[in-house]
Amino acid sequence: MKIVVMKFGGTSVADISRIKNVASIINNNYKKYKLVIVLSAMAGVTNNLQKLIDQVDHPPSKENDLVLTSGEQVSVGLLSMMLNKMKIKSMPLLGWQVPIITDSSYEKAKILNINKDNILKYFIAYDVVVLAGFQGINTEGKITSIGRGGSDTTAVAIASSLKAERCDIFTDVEGVYSSDPNIVKNAKKIDKISYEEMLEMSSMGAKVLHPRSVELAMKNNLTLQVLSSLTNHEGTFIVNEKKLIEKEVVSGVSYSKNESKITISGIPDKPGIAAKIFRILSKSSINIDMIVQNISQDGITANLTFTVQTRDMSISKKLLEKNREKIHYKQISTDSEVAKISIIGVGMMSQSGVAEKMFQTLADQKINILAISTSEIKISVLIEEKYTNNAVKSLHSAYRLGTNSINK
Ligand code: ADP
Ligand code: ASP
Ligand code: MG
């Protein structure tokens, strides 16, 4: 029998009636496939756990991950109870019981290995395996979490390791849209999208899929489907680019409010300074995203502006302040009220004027661009956060991505 992995996100297990709905989807499929079900915590639970941690103000650690991953234990237990009552034999499993081995970077651990035989063996005596997403165990035996939204990655990692037929990601929207359907009302559902575009969309903030899940699916050539747990419609398939007939110039607009801007002003304008600054940050596993450097008013020193994830902002500032003597800067300022807006499309590679249209559209809305970064298939700009919705909607309409526009 073929294996299918189904992942249900927080809203799909938000309460007992939603969990019942998940059980009925399983009921319709478990005789056709060996089903491995991966669950998130019930909606809002992980956010509340994070708020408790914030009140203690504790850096990423084994304790934080112990707290953060507790929500998944509850949803897994509840669904398994429900299945047992329906006479579907279910084996509930937490990450450490598989085990899903990760590295030790708490709150953003990477999955290193999955003991797949320990999952498969349960199909001898059980109908389905229900597994907690988001969690693993490191080689020191400590519970880890793999980053917010990470249950998608658990599901894809399991599906890849079991060589599953497909991995279905059930969520609260009917698939991947040209932009967040909760902001852009006429956003269009995409039937098929390439791994590359999806990876850029997720990395640029479209939280419908955890970026690492897309990366892993691409690496393993695993068919991924995003679909709603509440309707019976086909979702969006994430596939190899070669399978796509039409290559849109721009297929989506993403946004991320999790960015913060750090400006270091008055740094010596000489070789090696940027390397020094970024080495200090990378040693603490802080990822830098957009970077702009310009000569300051005195013509001798320079200003360096870059973005980090908001959760890394205060630690970045502290690290730079600690190294003030080494860098010789005048001042550091931070701003978390910024957002990154990105347009993504594989067709961009062979089309000119795409960036110009983006900048003009924002200019027409009187939205100032604070930083720019590009790759072959995306252009991102940093703007003031308050303009996010306006920017996303204007760009979505400028590139005619909506349901009521004729796509170019
Ligand atoms: P789950 O709890 O099921 O993992 P998430 O909240 O993580 O669900 O992801 C689904 C949400 O992603 C949607 O409700 C939607 O607001 C948001 N989203 C952002 N960009 C997109 C997009 N391009 N297509 C679909 N959904 C998107
Ligand atoms: N429960 C975790 C979170 O809310 C993981 C997930 O849902 O994917 O981030
Ligand atoms: Mg999610």
Side-chain angles (χ1 to χ4, degrees):
M1 219 178 348
K2 288 191 167 138
I3 301 170
V4 169
V5 175
M6 293 180 167
K7 178 258 171 177
F8 294 88
T11 40
S12 302
V13 292
D15 53 36
I16 296 298
S17 79
R18 290 277 172 93
I19 296 179
K20 222 176 241 173
N21 172 57
V22 171
S24 84
I25 296 176
I26 294 169
N27 194 25
N28 292 337
N29 287 285
Y30 82 98
K31 288 194 177 134
K32 285 185 267 181
Y33 304 104
K34 280 183 185 155
L35 288 185
V36 178
I37 309 301
V38 175
L39 294 189
S40 287
M42 296 163 86
V45 167
T46 318
N47 284 349
N48 289 337
L49 295 167
Q50 182 64 58
K51 279 186 203 143
L52 293 172
I53 294 170
D54 291 345
Q55 283 179 51
V56 184
D57 190 17
H58 199 261
S61 59
K62 55 188 184 316
E63 289 80 6
N64 294 24
D65 278 6
L66 199 60
V67 173
L68 275 177
T69 55
S70 62
E72 271 70 11
Q73 180 160 348
V74 175
S75 50
V76 163
L78 288 172
L79 175 64
S80 201
M81 286 178 207
M82 199 84 82
L83 293 170
N84 287 338
K85 280 185 74 171
M86 291 163 74
K87 306 271 177 286
I88 300 173
K89 281 185 260 163
S90 154
M91 172 49 74
L93 288 177
L94 298 180
W96 67 268
Q97 291 174 304
V98 175
I100 297 177
I101 309 283
T102 72
D103 66 15
S104 291
S105 13
Y106 294 108
E107 293 188 22
K108 50 181 173 190
K110 283 216 164 61
I111 297 177
L112 301 177
N113 187 43
I114 292 174
N115 189 334
K116 67 175 186 342
D117 294 334
N118 268 353
I119 299 178
L120 289 174
K121 74 175 186 204
Y122 290 113
F123 284 105
I124 298 168
Y126 294 87
D127 297 318
V128 291
V129 169
V130 182
L131 175 68
F134 182 52
Q135 44 175 259
I137 184 166
N138 65 18
T139 45
E140 291 133 47
K142 304 291 185 299
I143 305 288
T144 54
S145 75
I146 62 169
R148 296 301 309 271
S151 295
D152 301 332
T153 299
T154 306
V156 171
I158 295 281
S160 304
S161 135
L162 297 176
K163 301 212 171 4
E165 166 94 353
R166 299 196 301 278
C167 181
D168 285 341
I169 307 284
F170 288 87
T171 184
D172 58 351
V173 288
E174 293 207 349
V176 178
Y177 284 70
S178 49
S179 194
D180 186 345
N182 287 321
I183 288 196
V184 183
K185 291 298 162 225
N186 70 337
K188 197 162 68 178
K189 190 177 120 196
I190 301 170
D191 294 331
K192 275 188 187 158
I193 185 168
S194 67
Y195 293 121
E196 289 81 358
E197 281 175 302
M198 192 64 236
L199 181 56
E200 287 284 14
M201 274 177 86
S202 314
S203 309
M204 296 304 119
K207 68 169 183 164
V208 64
L209 280 177
H210 193 234
R212 287 232 313 283
S213 71
V214 187
E215 210 174 355
L216 258 184
M218 175 158 80
K219 205 168 125 201
N220 293 296
N221 214 359
L222 172 77
T223 302
L224 203 56
Q225 182 185 196
V226 176
L227 70 171
S228 164
S229 60
L230 295 170
T231 62
N232 223 345
H233 302 156
E234 192 159 87
T236 298
F237 285 89
I238 295 97
V239 296
N240 202 307
E241 197 194 319
K242 291 185 196 96
K243 288 191 190 157
L244 291 174
I245 307 158
E246 244 184 292
K247 290 183 183 149
E248 305 288 352
V249 175
V250 173
S251 43
V253 182
S254 290
Y255 66 92
S256 165
K257 296 181 180 175
N258 291 329
E259 313 280 314
S260 286
K261 180 166 72 92
I262 300 182
T263 300
I264 314 180
S265 41
I267 51 172
D269 189 19
K270 60 177 193 194
I273 294 292
K276 212 178 261 177
I277 291 172
F278 294 132
R279 194 175 311 123
I280 290 166
L281 298 172
S282 78
K283 264 197 201 154
S284 295
S285 303
I286 294 164
N287 288 330
I288 309 298
D289 185 12
M290 304 168 114
I291 304 171
V292 184
Q293 177 166 330
N294 41 27
I295 299 290
S296 69
Q297 277 170 344
D298 60 16
I300 305 161
T301 57
N303 296 342
L304 187 70
T305 299
F306 54 88
T307 60
V308 295
Q309 294 279 295
T310 296
R311 65 193 279 277
D312 291 333
M313 183 177 79
S314 71
I315 175 82
S316 304
K317 189 165 179 246
K318 275 186 203 145
L319 283 169
L320 293 166
E321 281 168 348
K322 224 168 89 185
N323 286 281
R324 186 171 190 149
E325 296 300 304
K326 254 196 206 162
I327 312 170
H328 298 295
Y329 62 84
K330 278 207 193 90
Q331 206 187 329
I332 289 190
S333 59
T334 57
D335 183 1
S336 59
E337 306 288 298
V338 291
K340 183 170 66 176
I341 315 291
S342 310
I343 55 169
I344 294 110
V346 276
M348 219 181 258
M349 290 192 253
S350 52
Q351 185 96 7
S352 61
V354 183
E356 188 239 309
K357 190 180 209 165
M358 180 180 203
F359 303 153
Q360 190 57 52
T361 304
L362 295 171
D364 292 345
Q365 298 299 316
K366 310 230 170 337
I367 299 172
N368 199 21
I369 298 172
L370 310 171
I372 301 169
S373 72
T374 62
S375 81
E376 270 192 322
I377 63 165
K378 72 121 215 270
I379 306 167
S380 302
V381 295
L382 194 72
I383 62 168
E384 278 183 67
E385 189 179 309
K386 63 181 180 198
Y387 297 127
T388 305
N389 287 12
N390 183 3
V392 170
K393 285 182 193 162
S394 313
L395 291 168
H396 192 266
S397 112
Y399 292 102
R400 299 169 184 270
L401 299 178
T403 43
N404 48 7
S405 352
I406 303 153
N407 270 9
K408 287 204 291 183

